[in-house]
Amino acid sequence: MTDPVPPPASSAAIARPPAGPSAPGVPVDAAPTAAAALTPRLWGVLMLLGLLWGGSFFFNRIALAELAPLPLVACRIGLAALLLVGWLSLRGVSLRPIAERAPAFVLLGLLNNALPFTLIGIGQTEVGSGLASVINATTPLWTILVATAFTSDDRITPNRLIGILFGIAGVAVLIGPNAVGLGVTVPVWAMGCILGATLSYAFAGVFARRLRGIAAPVVAAGQLCGGCVVLGPATLALYAPATGLALPSAPVVAAVCGLAVLSTCLAYILYFLLIARAGATNASLVTFIIPASAILLGVLFLDESLTLPEIAGLGLILLGLLAVDGRVLRLKGSPFARTS
């Protein structure tokens, strides 16, 4: 969801997406929230949220010029955890559930933050921010497959099946030319890392159901703390002796702060605001904004561009998301009107 997977929620539709930078690591309330009209102000919040989560791929690309993926992710999660826990404490929100369910939050932090953020970071050493965001946008589609395979209350409806098929076709178009060596320079392993991150988000979305009943902001803080438990010791053991006191350049420090403060902590807060004011269904529209914002930032500031297969893959993935979302298909007389 790069950044940004949503905590406990049914993965039945994009309206309650699974973990994620599709938004990397975004929590969703366990109970569905009724949709309300999007006012101009809430549209602004939605667009800003899409920019922040799309910006996570942009910030990643800048920071990875000097930092290895593991310490980058550790800094991002650690700083974001401090900020979000501090914000919740100032608001008087009890954090006791984090301590009471610590093992579950450590596992959720692994699946929803530490592992996917690291895989995306590894992939983005070779993959541009725009393409990375396009691959990441498939997260809701894989979550449907995982939920169908491992839960008893999710089923594949015609809408979802159509969406999954479009998504698989989109991934095939993205990776296919690279796999057969048609002159495209993006390594398949790098795209595979980002695809692996989407699968991790999918499993996180299903596992997060075990935490139903805990407020989404607390789940978000708990999974970030759990991610710190996973990554902190490994990062210190592998990198601290080698890096010594050397500090990265100012642009990289700014990118790391942008990832933690803007694309993680502030993005979570805006997401909770949207859920409360406009409902989960309207908030889920951010899924469609993230790739557009990431591509735009990459083109404007990183001199990136999308190839024709990447544009075609993006189109197929977006069609798949639209089919799963179901709103476009819920027209009077549509055979899919009651299937999602």
Side-chain angles (χ1 to χ4, degrees), residues 2-324:
T2 187
D3 193 57
V5 132
S10 167
S11 56
I14 302 177
R16 298 189 303 282
S22 161
V26 182
V28 175
D29 273 315
T33 304
L38 277 171
T39 64
R41 181 179 179 183
L42 290 177
W43 269 112
V45 173
L46 181 68
M47 298 301 291
L48 177 58
L49 179 60
L51 179 63
L52 294 178
W53 274 335
S56 67
F57 300 96
F58 169 75
F59 291 134
N60 259 348
R61 194 69 170 163
I62 295 174
L64 288 166
E66 297 180 23
L67 295 177
L70 194 62
L72 169 60
V73 175
C75 290
R76 173 188 182 177
I77 292 178
L79 181 54
L82 285 174
L83 293 172
L84 192 54
V85 167
W87 179 73
L88 291 174
S89 298
L90 288 174
R91 293 175 60 86
V93 177
S94 173
L95 299 176
R96 180 178 297 179
I98 297 177
E100 293 174 345
R101 305 289 300 276
F105 279 114
V106 170
L107 182 54
L108 184 61
L110 170 67
L111 293 174
N112 210 24
N113 290 143
L115 180 58
F117 286 4
T118 302
L119 286 174
I120 289 172
I122 294 172
Q124 279 203 260
T125 59
E126 297 285 347
V127 176
S129 57
L131 178 56
S133 71
V134 171
I135 299 173
N136 191 66
T138 62
T139 297
L141 306 179
W142 310 134
T143 304
I144 292 172
L145 289 177
V146 171
T148 301
F150 293 98
T151 67
S152 59
D153 58 345
D154 264 302
R155 59 189 178 86
I156 294 184
T157 62
N159 281 13
R160 297 184 201 173
L161 179 60
I162 292 171
I164 290 168
L165 292 176
F166 271 121
I168 292 173
V171 171
V173 169
L174 287 174
I175 297 179
N178 298 275
V180 298
L182 294 181
V184 186
T185 58
V186 181
V188 173
W189 66 261
M191 291 191 286
C193 284
I194 300 173
L195 192 60
T198 68
L199 293 174
S200 185
Y201 283 141
F203 280 100
V206 173
F207 176 77
R209 297 177 178 205
R210 297 169 181 253
L211 299 173
R212 280 177 171 162
I214 301 176
V218 176
V219 174
Q223 71 179 14
L224 288 170
C225 292
C228 291
V229 172
V230 173
L231 284 185
T235 304
L236 290 174
L238 293 174
Y239 290 94
T243 56
L245 297 176
L247 293 176
S249 64
V252 171
V253 172
V256 173
C257 291
L259 274 170
V261 178
L262 300 178
S263 295
T264 308
C265 185
L266 178 59
Y268 277 155
I269 293 171
L270 292 179
Y271 188 74
F272 304 146
L273 173 66
L274 274 175
I275 290 287
R277 301 284 178 83
T281 300
N282 283 327
S284 74
L285 291 172
V286 73
T287 306
F288 303 96
I289 302 171
I290 293 169
S293 64
I295 291 168
L296 181 62
L297 289 170
V299 169
L300 290 179
F301 299 105
L302 300 177
D303 197 28
E304 295 180 355
S305 61
L306 291 182
T307 65
L308 185 58
E310 291 167 1
I311 295 172
L314 171 62
L316 289 169
I317 290 168
L318 290 179
L319 284 174
L321 293 174
L322 284 170
V324 172

